[in-house]
Amino acid sequence: MSRFKSEATWRVLLQILALCSGAILLLILGFLAWETLPILHTIFLDQFWRDPGWYPSEQAYNLTPMVMGTLGVTVGAVLVATPLGLLSAVFCQYYAPTGVAQLYRRLIELLAGIPSVVYGLWGLVVLVPLIAKVQPPGSSLLAGTLILALMILPTIALVTDASLASLPPSYWHGSAALGLGTWATVQGICLPAIRSGLLTAVMLATARALGETMAVLMVCGNVVQVPDSIFAPVRTLTANIALEMAYALDLHRSALFASGLVLMLVVTGLVVVTDRMTDAPES
Amino acid sequence: MVRRLAIPFGKEQGATLMVWLVALGITVLFLWLLSDVIWQGGQAINGAFLTQAPIKAGLEGGIAPILVSTGLVLGVCMGVSLPLGLGTALFLTEFSPQRSHQAIRLSLDILAGVPSIVFGLFGNAFFSKVLGLGFSILSGGLTLACMVLPILIRSIQVGLVNVPHEYRQAAAALGLSRLGTLKTLILPAALPGIAVGILLGIGRAIAETAALIFTSGYVDRMPTSLLDSGRVLSIHIFDLAMNIPGGEQNAYGTALVLVILLIVINTLVSWFAERFRQSKLQIL
């Protein structure tokens, strides 16, 4: 009898642990919401985009410049990284000899594992001075876009690579029978066939770019302004939190939590949609 | 469709050239980044760099207290997340009914995508403020524990699921209890998978910066307890590069240490993963 009892005890114990793990997300949402409440009680929601600017000490909380900064670097990075990541996966699957492909894949995996602060350091020391030669000050929307693109490229390349690898070989047999070349097959058959995989890759990369903090904090210049050119310094939402959290009090702190909450909800939305897409059977 | 497939002859060569150029370009960029870190970092690293305390905010001296803080933060992180993660993975793969399974899985998938700065906000609000731990190694480690949990659970689950079904059938045929099967058969067989999970978790935790800025803090002294603030490697790199004029050299040195640690972890991951595959092949 004792055997069953101990099994039941273990079951309950494991269930409690699992519930704890599952509850962390709710805990995070709860705390972000709790810390956001004070500012929602005090100001109107539209002040986040109608206030004269971001001057937390004077109760002005316009987040528009930061939202524009985040959108700017994210959209730019995704636009740069998607074609490159896609071609890089095509290279691995269809163009490179097996040995080269393996080596290249290993390299991309390494690239994916490099910490964002190291990307930021490299961007700050190498990339920013290069851009400054073209158009000072160097720390800019462009620098952030390029560094972010480099960081999300492995995500796109690896996910697309896996989708391409899952295509049935019969596609290639068919196209070979039709006398099509490699690129014609890739363009006409393989890429249309992995559309949903590619979309997943892009959405994961977007989520990563939206939430990225350290690299953009180090190369974007962090001036609170709506950028008027790609050489203008910008501040993203994440950089804003990282810069000001240390000394923010009361409503200022609450405003930072509000921007964190929005960021989290947007990223969560992307993840849930991606999840649904991956779960849905391919047609 | 037909029109799209009718591609003029020269296009194939052009495409081949383009694909190779892209791959070459990415390789060159990557090697540039890596060689930069190795070259500049190599000049900063020596025995003293690893064993001395930082002097003048890190401009001189080494990173010894920072290595210790990093180790302690990782220790707290894995000490908390491993039992939690192992328990959750076991429950999800071996015991759970389908419905709660779905809910917990979705929650973990979302958790995996939450930006690290949001974990930092949460850690600051919960561990530092509400639990009163302040800026400390403990707050930082606990924050990271929440962050690595999804990756840990997923890898352990893969390890458990990959244990051949014949094991369970054989154990059931021998009349072993589910708990006995778990302890004597499934856990040992899944051990390399669990090791991969732990290593991936450490890799994610050690690379993290944003979640630690306002949980474990900036203090670069040697920590004397888990309630002290401690500066980890990645924050040291950030601070040297951004806030200390002339700090790039030692920032590169610290970055090289970090990258070497990550490469070691990655190599161990592949080694364990390979071993896992082989051990299964032998038994089957």
Side-chain angles (χ1 to χ4, degrees), chain A residues 102-122:
Chain A
Q102 249 167 18
L103 213 63
Y104 187 76
R105 210 170 275 138
R106 188 101 186 85
L107 187 121
I108 297 280
E109 279 167 10
L110 258 173
L111 202 56
I114 289 182
S116 61
V117 72
V118 175
Y119 280 106
L121 174 65
W122 184 76

Side-chain angles (χ1 to χ4, degrees), chain B residues 76-169:
Chain B
V76 172
C77 164
M78 296 319 287
V80 174
S81 63
L82 187 58
L84 202 55
L86 191 58
T88 307
L90 280 174
F91 179 74
L92 289 180
T93 42
E94 308 289 327
F95 290 103
S96 94
Q98 203 56 34
R99 274 234 337 264
S100 65
H101 186 116
Q102 287 293 333
I104 295 175
R105 208 196 66 132
L106 180 66
S107 146
L108 289 172
D109 278 353
I110 295 174
L111 198 63
V114 171
S116 56
I117 188 95
V118 171
F119 279 101
L121 285 175
F122 162 71
N124 182 276
F126 184 47
F127 299 121
S128 302
K129 242 180 77 181
V130 172
L131 295 188
L133 298 173
F135 280 59
S136 66
I137 289 173
L138 208 52
S139 321
L142 290 172
T143 307
L144 285 191
C146 300
M147 207 174 121
V148 302
L149 204 57
I151 199 172
L152 194 62
I153 293 173
R154 204 170 297 164
S155 325
I156 297 177
Q157 270 190 294
V158 169
L160 290 170
V161 168
N162 279 346
V163 173
H165 204 61
E166 286 83 350
Y167 285 24
R168 290 163 223 253
Q169 286 169 342

